[in-house]
Amino acid sequence: MSRAPGFLAVIFVLLCGASPARAAQDAAPERGTAIIDPATLRDLDSGKFRLDRMLLPERTADAPLANNELFAIPAMTPVRQAIDGEFDRYVARHAASLPKETIGVGTGFDFQLFDRAMLYSADTRFVLAGIVNRMDRTYAAETNCGEIRLIYRLTRINKAAGDDASPPRLPMSLNLVLKAKAEGAAITCAEVAGRWLAAPSGGPWTASGGPLDLIGHENIDRIETNLQIAHAPKSAVRDFRTDYLLKVFRYDRNISMFAEAPMENQIDRARLLADDGLKREFKAWLLDPVNLAAFDRGTVLIPEKFLASGAIAPTPVGFDPSELEAEFGLAQGEGAVFGEADVVAALRKAAEGGVKLQNIRSLAGFERRLNDVTCSGCHQTRGIGGFHFPGVDWMADKPSNMAVVPASPHFFGDQVRRRDILTALREGKSPDYSRGFASRPQLRGSTELAGSNYSDGWGAHCYVQGKPAANDDASFRDWTCAEGLTCQAAGKVSRIGMCFVKGR
């Protein structure tokens, strides 16, 4: 099993620590696509965008609902039941696979389980940590102009006895996914995009004609949760490891309740590998030239019959192939869904049919896209402690470095692409919704990210060029480093690495 070298964890923190300085500039990459200002988020959380007010718009009380009350409302009952079921299954799997390693709540266990009591406690609530415009996903929800996401972080609201710090955050995010345009709303996608792009960096966001003016309970589509279910400190028998539980719950407006749902593109690896019929069906579907082209662009929408309704994402994950990766074994090894000959033949057929692939030009590129198109695989790429968007902790008196960093390099590196799509929508043009691999942003001709850790600067993901160059993998040969830097492989097998100063 491949593990990320210890120094990589430090590198990730250093890379992410560079983001706030850049985000504070007038040319911040998230301009027009996200709200990450702490003061703005505090104001929005005290108004209609507080979670309980979004879920219960009729509620007028000033005090926010604590989580014991939040999970007692009928709409949230299925969410609690599903999360409880995942905890029970996780503990049972642990007992079966690692019987000699203890698991439970507290530091006395080998695997330290998240304390579920805190999730449903009167001492915690979900606090607004960021708002992200995902109109770049209009291809998946054209009539609704894509999505707007309200991201909340689980936070203790009462200080522990003798604790001088502000209420500490807990390792869980809840993402309330909203339709950018509610059903029947008298506004166009061009107008919605224009509002976001025209908004000054400090707002006002909720004023008449502002980007959040038409956002409310009627826009709710689903909830996505990301919970650090357990972690294991480094020991004599294992490296440090943290497992994250990912879930999705669709909102059923007819009964005003959330229901557990398949996760978009979260391929159910175990079920596919165990079912030869399903395996053949999935292979035929994905290698069809039309679907393969969408897969290459990153806009594929895999049918739900092939998907899972929950996932455990372990971190950190090394650069070499590993069973910790979401789709390990689907394209190589005994019983795999796809063989190298299958992929090569499909790529050739697509090219002969006039399909110009942008990212997948080899088996390795196909494997990487198989991984990063999934929720858990993307989650494992260039994240901070497993979260791409932890958000700023505006409740802290003395926020730690981790709390100050609003998002990962993956997040910031994708903002130029998202802004280009917003601009195209505003101007009534057909957007290019394609995206590169999660760990290397698609530049689209822009030089905005040149020399940064998001693209080819220090710490950026890269590909070790070989000699002769003709032997370099076609999917990654343009993953180079800026002048003065060299690509250094971070694994024992893979030539994917990170850009560092020459001679390091």
Side-chain angles (χ1 to χ4, degrees):
M1 180 185 299
S2 172
R3 297 288 188 184
F7 75 90
L8 287 181
V10 177
I11 289 169
F12 282 139
V13 173
L14 291 174
L15 290 180
C16 297
S19 300
R22 182 179 180 90
Q25 300 172 1
D26 291 338
E30 79 284 353
R31 62 190 183 278
T33 58
I35 302 174
I36 62 175
D37 176 67
T40 300
L41 293 169
R42 180 188 296 112
D43 290 343
L44 293 173
D45 186 74
S46 66
K48 76 171 186 177
F49 293 102
R50 200 174 68 201
L51 181 58
D52 59 293
R53 284 179 172 157
M54 285 297 298
L55 298 180
L56 300 168
E58 69 279 4
R59 191 169 188 270
T60 59
D62 290 333
L65 277 183
N67 273 15
N68 64 323
E69 298 173 292
L70 180 75
F71 281 97
I73 66 177
M76 294 294 288
T77 300
V79 178
R80 177 170 184 165
Q81 292 172 342
I83 290 176
D84 285 344
E86 292 287 358
F87 266 84
D88 294 341
R89 286 188 288 274
Y90 181 85
V91 172
R93 287 194 301 268
H94 178 93
S97 61
L98 298 170
K100 295 183 180 180
E101 296 189 47
T102 60
I103 184 169
V105 176
T107 58
F109 295 91
D110 298 322
F111 270 71
Q112 297 169 19
L113 200 64
F114 179 84
D115 186 359
R116 255 187 292 178
M118 295 307 301
L119 177 56
Y120 311 129
S121 171
D123 294 329
T124 60
R125 78 174 180 97
F126 286 102
V127 174
L128 186 64
I131 300 180
V132 180
N133 182 324
R134 293 307 309 271
M135 291 182 71
D136 62 292
R137 284 180 43 78
T138 296
Y139 69 88
E142 189 171 353
T143 59
N144 301 118
C145 309
E147 303 162 352
I148 306 298
R149 303 187 177 194
L150 307 183
I151 302 175
Y152 299 86
R153 189 66 180 238
L154 181 63
T155 305
R156 191 194 304 267
I157 55 179
N158 295 320
K159 295 181 180 180
D163 186 1
D164 293 329
S166 278
R169 299 170 117 198
L170 298 168
M172 180 179 181
S173 288
L174 184 149
N175 180 9
L176 187 63
V177 182
L178 309 167
K179 300 170 183 176
K181 183 181 79 169
E183 304 293 341
I187 190 171
T188 66
C189 295
E191 290 171 324
V192 176
R195 289 186 179 199
W196 278 89
L197 290 170
S201 59
W205 298 98
T206 57
S208 178
L212 299 179
D213 180 30
L214 300 179
I215 294 293
H217 175 82
E218 63 276 8
N219 295 72
I220 294 176
D221 182 69
R222 65 188 183 275
I223 279 176
E224 299 174 346
T225 59
N226 181 353
L227 166 68
Q228 185 189 102
I229 193 168
H231 74 275
K234 184 177 176 62
S235 68
V237 297
R238 70 166 57 255
D239 290 334
F240 170 83
R241 172 172 162 179
T242 302
D243 287 350
Y244 293 86
L245 169 66
L246 311 179
K247 297 286 292 181
V248 172
F249 304 88
R250 286 199 191 114
Y251 187 62
D252 187 333
R253 202 163 297 280
N254 293 323
I255 58 175
S256 301
M257 294 182 72
F258 290 97
E260 188 176 14
M263 300 169 64
E264 183 177 298
N265 291 346
Q266 182 63 43
I267 304 167
D268 193 331
R269 178 179 69 180
R271 191 160 55 89
L272 277 177
L273 294 178
D275 187 329
D276 289 339
L278 197 64
K279 185 188 304 183
R280 287 192 297 270
E281 188 177 356
F282 181 58
K283 179 169 71 173
W285 184 88
L286 188 57
L287 297 185
D288 177 275
V290 173
N291 299 326
L292 183 62
F295 184 61
D296 171 73
R297 293 193 302 269
T299 59
V300 71
L301 295 172
I302 297 172
E304 290 186 355
K305 69 173 73 176
F306 304 120
L307 305 180
S309 59
I312 297 293
T315 58
V317 173
F319 284 69
D320 288 336
S322 161
E323 64 186 37
L324 297 181
E325 294 177 336
E327 303 314 318
F328 179 77
L330 287 186
Q332 286 193 58
E334 185 178 354
V337 178
F338 306 96
E340 182 172 8
D342 298 325
V343 174
V344 171
L347 296 178
R348 184 184 303 114
K349 182 178 179 181
E352 291 171 350
V355 177
K356 187 175 181 180
L357 300 179
Q358 302 177 26
N359 300 289
I360 302 171
R361 302 186 180 95
S362 63
L363 175 64
F366 183 85
E367 286 184 282
R368 179 164 285 261
R369 183 60 101 196
L370 262 181
N371 199 52
D372 81 3
V373 77
T374 67
C375 299
S376 56
C378 185
H379 178 279
Q380 293 169 332
T381 304
R382 301 191 77 183
I384 307 173
F387 296 92
H388 284 310
F389 194 98
V392 175
D393 183 8
W394 51 261
M395 293 183 71
D397 293 333
K398 300 175 182 179
S400 67
N401 289 337
M402 188 64 73
V404 169
V405 178
S408 72
H410 173 193
F411 172 84
F412 284 109
D414 197 40
Q415 297 311 301
V416 175
R417 183 190 70 89
R418 297 183 190 182
R419 202 178 336 113
D420 284 350
I421 291 171
L422 280 181
T423 302
L425 287 169
R426 181 191 62 188
E427 296 174 357
K429 299 177 181 178
S430 296
D432 175 6
Y433 292 111
S434 65
R435 68 170 178 85
F437 294 109
S439 55
R440 184 84 177 193
Q442 188 181 51
L443 298 183
R444 298 169 174 261
S446 170
T447 60
E448 187 172 334
L449 299 178
S452 71
N453 62 64
Y454 314 129
S455 179
D456 58 356
W458 190 90
H461 284 200
C462 56
Y463 177 79
V464 178
Q465 308 294 315
K467 294 181 180 179
N471 292 336
D472 290 341
D473 193 297
S475 296
F476 312 112
R477 61 169 56 124
D478 59 345
W479 289 25
T480 56
C481 296
E483 185 177 355
L485 302 177
T486 184
C487 187
Q488 298 184 26
K492 297 179 180 179
V493 177
S494 174
R495 287 165 66 178
I496 301 294
M498 303 177 83
C499 296
F500 293 123
V501 177
K502 291 182 179 180
R504 179 182 172 88

